[in-house]
């Protein structure tokens, strides 16, 4: 990870070189985790903007797109990519969203044999609920008329 020499201080260090030197051991120790870090905040923001733009472009082109960190972690662990932080974009050009659409089971609701609950909705005969709230069916009255 090589941050830009912006000296923004978002990471808590005065310069990018200071950040890299101070966090080198932490990045080495975190190499086996999902993502290596700590990271340059501006680089993470840039990655988020790029991923959001790519997802929006895919949506405008009617391509189903999902941003997934777990797929990116798997690619990193399998050495398919060499990156400290990554986000995967899964794209689908099928007529259905394969990740989220499920076939609804056909149910004949008229044939279901459920035991009756033997309960009916209960309302106050006055149309006024406890605490002064009113039933929706009752017309509104001004506070002066009460």
């Amino acid at each position: 990870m090589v941050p830009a020499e912006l000296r923004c201080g978002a990471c808590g260090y005065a310069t990018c070189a200071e950040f890299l030197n101070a966090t080198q051991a932490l990045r080495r120790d975190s190499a086996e985790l999902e993502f290596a870090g700590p990271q340059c905040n501006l680089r993470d923001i840039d990655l988020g903007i790029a991923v959001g733009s790519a997802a929006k472009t895919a949506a405008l082109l009617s391509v189903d797109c999902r941003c997934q960190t777990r797929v990116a972690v798997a690619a990193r662990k399998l050495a398919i990519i060499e990156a400290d932080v990554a986000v995967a974009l899964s794209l689908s050009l099928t007529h259905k969203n394969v990740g989220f659409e499920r076939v609804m089971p056909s149910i004949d609701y008229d044939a279901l044999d459920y035991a009756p609950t033997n309960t009916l909705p209960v309302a106050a005969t006055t149309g006024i609920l406890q605490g002064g709230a009113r039933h929706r069916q009752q017309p509104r009255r001004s506070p002066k008329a009460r």
Side-chain angles (χ1 to χ4, degrees):
M1 176 199 72
V2 180
E5 281 292 327
L6 298 176
R7 295 189 173 104
C8 66
C11 61
Y13 293 92
T15 66
C16 298
E18 208 176 303
F19 169 74
L20 287 174
N21 289 333
T23 59
Q24 187 174 13
L26 290 170
R27 281 193 311 283
R28 188 176 43 251
D29 292 343
S30 67
E32 294 302 317
L33 299 175
E34 290 185 4
F35 298 114
Q39 296 293 323
C40 170
N41 292 331
L42 289 180
R43 292 293 185 197
D44 288 342
I45 291 169
D46 286 346
L47 176 63
I49 291 169
V51 168
S53 294
K56 177 64 176 177
T57 301
L60 289 173
L61 297 172
S62 299
V63 176
D64 182 49
C65 178
R66 304 285 176 205
C67 305
Q68 299 174 333
T69 56
R70 303 306 258 158
V71 174
V73 169
R76 184 174 177 265
K77 296 294 182 186
L78 293 171
I80 295 171
I81 61 171
E82 292 181 21
D84 291 336
V85 175
V87 177
L89 294 175
S90 60
L91 305 174
S92 175
L93 295 173
T94 60
H95 68 285
K96 292 174 69 177
N97 181 337
V98 295
F100 292 91
E101 288 186 8
R102 304 285 190 262
V103 177
M104 290 296 293
S106 58
I107 299 173
D108 183 7
Y109 291 100
D110 295 328
L112 295 177
D113 189 25
Y114 288 120
T117 60
N118 296 323
T119 59
L120 296 174
V122 178
T125 56
T126 61
I128 298 175
L129 298 175
Q130 184 178 9
R134 63 177 184 80
H135 287 285
R136 291 180 186 231
Q137 297 86 358
Q138 297 297 318
R140 290 184 183 265
R141 293 186 298 257
S142 68
K144 293 177 184 176
R146 292 183 187 165

